[in-house]
Amino acid sequence: MTCIQQRAALQQQIWKIANDVRGSVDGWDFKQYVLGTLFYRFISENFAAYIEAEDPDIHYAQLADSVITPEIKDDAIKTKGYFIYPSQLFSNIVRTANTNESLNTDLAAVFSAIESSANGYPSEKDIKGLFADFDTTSNRLGNTVKDKNMRLADVLNGVGKLDFNDFEGSEIDLFGDAYEFLISNYAANAGKSGGEFFTPTHVSRLIAQLAMHKQTSVNKIYDPAAGSGSLLLQAKKHFDAHIIEDGFFGQEINHTTYNLARMNMFLHNINYDKFNIQLGNTLINPHFLGDKPFDAIVSNPPYSIKWKGSDDPTLINDDRFAPAGVLAPKSKADFAFVLHALSYLSAKGRAAIVCFPGIFYRGGAEQKIRQYLIDNNYVETVISLAPNLFFGTTIAVNILVLSKHKPDTRTQFIDASGLFKKETNNNVLTDNDDPENPGHIQQIMEVFDTKENVPHFALSVDHTTVAGKDYNLSVSTYVEAKDNREVVDIAELNAELAITVAKIDRLRADIDSIVAEIEGEEVGK
């Protein structure tokens, strides 16, 4: 099978299982159990493979817990970040799931033991609370212990039936692809809340390529509104042939989504020492101040949310916001995220940020911030995208690309609003490297790279031009929309009208002749 066929087969298999095991429970409410169980299976198999080290005589799942020495445990935690005893492995728990009358409490104990195994080690913060949303006592699983155990057994058995052996030798990231597909589908079916934790893969791919364009290596990559980590992971896929030296950094305000992001890192084989995902409000309590600057920043922050802004007098003196001389409006924090990202950006790097279009033309504080960005030559490109590309909103958003190493004072505007393919309920950006038939992403990246002016698609203008338009950064202000109305040849149209009029005149004459003849016959009678 090709990669596309393998991925399609895996997705069909896992979504059927996810729907079967949830029963009458809403998929959005049930997602933690399916995603958590998939994660549990992954770390179990990954850990067993590490212990066995491809030795055919070692079968970790069959060993007794008592044979594990403190030295083995200590070494494993230092390397993998956690420890799982043989009896705690997914394969051993699922084997007796249908008959285990204390399955819910046993599972809770296993999860607690895995998390606490990292206590006192460098990985403690990365492991702690990973299973916090996998509540084995929740009434979502049933009203009685028996009902809960039955539902948990269904989930365990369902995920256990995923036959990854069917994909041996495959080129796809089995667990990572399965997890990402599940998150994407849950987001697609979750309405507005879905867009808050997952950026569609096709858009993530574009954002990652913009942020990492022409960089042969980056020190580290950062997402200040990380969601489930999809943007960071697209950067990993795009940069497989290169090096992200110090790993992946992100901050997320929602606790459940924060856990999903950390699981997502593990599931894509990013070890605990190569990622750092933190919980908290990025604007008010930012992490990684000591890790600045970052060579690549990607972000899809929440659109026009409220924040403290001027209600907190200390923020105007914050190093992130002070240079602009003004804070983003309290009712619209969009530019607060932009200025935050800019302050974390290195002199060689780029930031690619999804933005609500209103911030590019409104007046007041937002206009002053745009002036600061333009006057200091930080805005490399503004790209307008097609509507309905994201989950939970039909808005046609923009991508703002910031850079601190522009070779000139020109700002590029790209109108990509006409680039999309309609699929089910959403539009998508196509990805095709064929030079004869480039995908939407390739078309955008080509003009982003060359900075060529293309009628009705891309235009680069000097700083003075933007200043002369009151620092308006709306793409439509600079890129003239193509007139798709049919061009009419007036001379040709007049000629056609003359012929038509002549035909009508002849027809009228014929009718008059017929009428006169009929009237003459009537008189003769």
Side-chain angles (χ1 to χ4, degrees):
M1 288 192 292
T2 66
C3 288
I4 294 175
Q5 290 171 327
Q6 289 169 349
R7 190 170 283 111
L10 175 65
Q11 291 174 354
Q12 183 179 20
Q13 189 183 125
I14 194 168
W15 191 242
K16 182 180 184 305
I17 289 171
N19 277 326
D20 288 346
V21 298
R22 73 178 175 87
S24 60
V25 184
D26 182 80
W28 179 252
D29 291 336
F30 202 65
K31 69 182 185 300
Q32 273 79 258
Y33 296 101
V34 179
L35 292 168
T37 302
L38 184 68
F39 174 70
Y40 174 38
R41 176 179 169 180
F42 169 78
I43 61 171
S44 291
E45 295 184 10
N46 186 274
F47 188 83
Y50 163 75
I51 295 292
E52 292 166 3
E54 298 185 355
D55 187 335
D57 295 325
I58 300 178
H59 301 284
Y60 187 64
Q62 298 174 14
L63 298 179
D65 291 356
S66 58
V67 306
I68 305 300
T69 65
E71 291 75 20
I72 292 175
K73 184 176 181 181
D74 180 69
D75 183 67
I77 298 172
K78 288 177 179 176
T79 302
K80 300 299 294 181
Y82 58 90
F83 192 86
I84 305 178
Y85 281 100
S87 65
Q88 298 169 340
L89 292 172
F90 175 87
S91 59
N92 284 329
I93 295 296
V94 75
R95 184 167 45 83
T96 61
N98 288 335
T99 57
N100 185 353
E101 295 182 357
S102 58
L103 178 62
N104 67 328
T105 54
D106 285 353
L107 264 182
V110 167
F111 296 157
S112 176
I114 293 173
E115 290 183 11
S116 62
S117 70
N119 289 351
Y121 288 85
S123 60
E124 180 176 352
K125 290 183 178 179
D126 299 307
I127 305 299
K128 186 176 182 179
L130 274 174
F131 293 98
D133 297 298
F134 198 118
D135 183 2
T136 63
T137 65
S138 172
N139 287 334
R140 290 173 181 168
L141 297 170
N143 294 321
T144 66
V145 171
K146 183 178 180 180
D147 290 340
K148 291 178 174 61
N149 287 339
M150 188 180 302
R151 181 57 57 78
L152 287 170
D154 286 344
V155 179
L156 289 165
N157 286 314
V159 172
K161 287 175 183 176
L162 280 173
D163 189 1
F164 287 156
N165 290 329
D166 287 349
F167 303 96
E168 280 189 0
S170 71
E171 296 181 10
I172 65 174
D173 182 356
L174 292 172
F175 277 99
D177 274 32
Y179 193 80
E180 190 169 304
F181 169 74
L182 275 172
I183 290 179
S184 174
N185 266 32
Y186 284 130
N189 288 279
K192 182 179 179 181
S193 55
E196 294 176 1
F197 79 101
F198 186 80
T199 303
T201 302
H202 52 98
V203 184
S204 298
R205 197 171 295 134
L206 171 61
I207 294 169
Q209 291 187 32
L210 289 166
M212 305 176 78
H213 184 60
K214 284 190 173 179
Q215 297 203 66
T216 55
S217 68
V218 298
N219 62 350
K220 49 206 167 192
I221 186 165
Y222 169 58
D223 186 345
S228 59
S230 57
L231 273 173
L232 291 171
L233 290 166
Q234 274 303 320
K236 173 183 181 289
K237 292 180 180 180
H238 178 62
F239 236 54
D240 273 347
H242 305 295
I243 301 172
I244 298 177
E245 295 167 352
D246 298 321
F248 304 80
F249 293 72
Q251 185 165 343
E252 170 56 36
I253 194 170
N254 181 282
H255 193 278
T256 296
T257 312
Y258 156 72
N259 287 335
L260 290 177
R262 291 189 295 160
M263 289 183 184
N264 216 354
M265 294 293 135
F266 280 111
L267 280 155
H268 283 84
N269 282 313
I270 300 175
N271 206 38
Y272 77 92
D273 57 346
K274 282 294 184 181
F275 75 83
N276 190 343
I277 308 294
Q278 294 290 332
L279 178 66
N281 185 322
T282 295
L283 300 181
I284 304 303
N285 183 29
H287 288 271
F288 313 121
L289 292 170
D291 293 294
K292 297 193 299 182
F294 293 85
D295 288 345
I297 297 176
V298 292
S299 190
N300 179 15
Y303 308 146
S304 299
I305 61 167
K306 296 178 181 179
W307 75 307
K308 284 187 176 180
S310 58
D311 283 346
D312 184 345
T314 67
L315 287 174
I316 193 59
N317 297 315
D318 190 300
D319 289 344
R320 297 169 297 164
F321 312 124
V326 64
L327 295 172
K330 290 187 293 182
S331 60
K332 303 175 183 68
D334 307 72
F335 264 128
F337 282 103
V338 169
L339 292 173
H340 170 91
L342 180 66
S343 73
Y344 275 55
L345 187 62
S346 75
K348 61 167 279 194
R350 281 190 181 92
I353 308 165
V354 178
C355 296
F356 184 80
I359 71 170
F360 293 113
Y361 60 78
R362 290 190 295 241
E366 292 177 319
Q367 182 186 31
K368 292 178 181 178
I369 294 173
R370 293 197 303 271
Q371 179 175 351
Y372 162 73
L373 295 174
I374 291 295
D375 286 351
N376 286 276
N377 205 29
Y378 292 136
V379 181
E380 180 173 1
T381 302
V382 182
I383 306 169
S384 63
L385 297 179
N388 206 29
L389 289 174
F390 292 80
F391 299 125
T393 180
T394 59
I395 295 170
V397 300
N398 292 181
I399 297 177
L400 173 65
V401 183
L402 300 176
S403 171
K404 293 181 178 178
H405 61 276
K406 289 172 60 181
D408 54 40
T409 60
R410 298 175 72 78
T411 297
Q412 182 187 42
F413 296 89
I414 300 175
D415 183 359
S417 60
L419 299 182
F420 65 91
K421 177 184 177 184
K422 180 70 176 176
E423 280 192 6
T424 59
N425 296 325
N426 281 84
N427 295 327
V428 300
L429 298 174
T430 60
D431 186 13
N432 185 3
D433 285 327
D434 182 2
E436 299 297 321
N437 183 32
H440 300 141
I441 293 174
Q442 285 69 30
Q443 293 177 54
I444 295 170
M445 290 306 302
E446 171 67 19
V447 76
F448 175 76
D449 174 55
T450 64
K451 295 296 189 288
E452 289 184 2
N453 292 334
V454 180
H456 313 298
F457 185 51
L459 181 69
S460 292
V461 302
D462 192 75
H463 160 267
T464 55
T465 301
V466 179
K469 294 184 181 294
D470 296 326
Y471 296 94
N472 188 318
L473 293 179
S474 295
V475 173
S476 60
T477 301
Y478 304 94
V479 181
E480 183 181 359
K482 188 173 183 178
D483 189 348
N484 292 314
R485 293 176 297 180
E486 184 180 354
V487 178
V488 178
D489 186 325
I490 299 299
E492 182 180 342
L493 180 61
N494 284 335
E496 290 177 356
L497 285 173
I499 293 172
T500 302
V501 169
K503 288 180 179 179
I504 292 172
D505 287 343
R506 285 198 302 270
L507 182 59
R508 283 175 175 167
D510 290 343
I511 292 172
D512 288 344
S513 177
I514 293 171
V515 170
E517 184 179 337
I518 293 173
E519 289 177 343
E521 290 176 356
E522 290 292 329
V523 171
K525 290 179 179 180

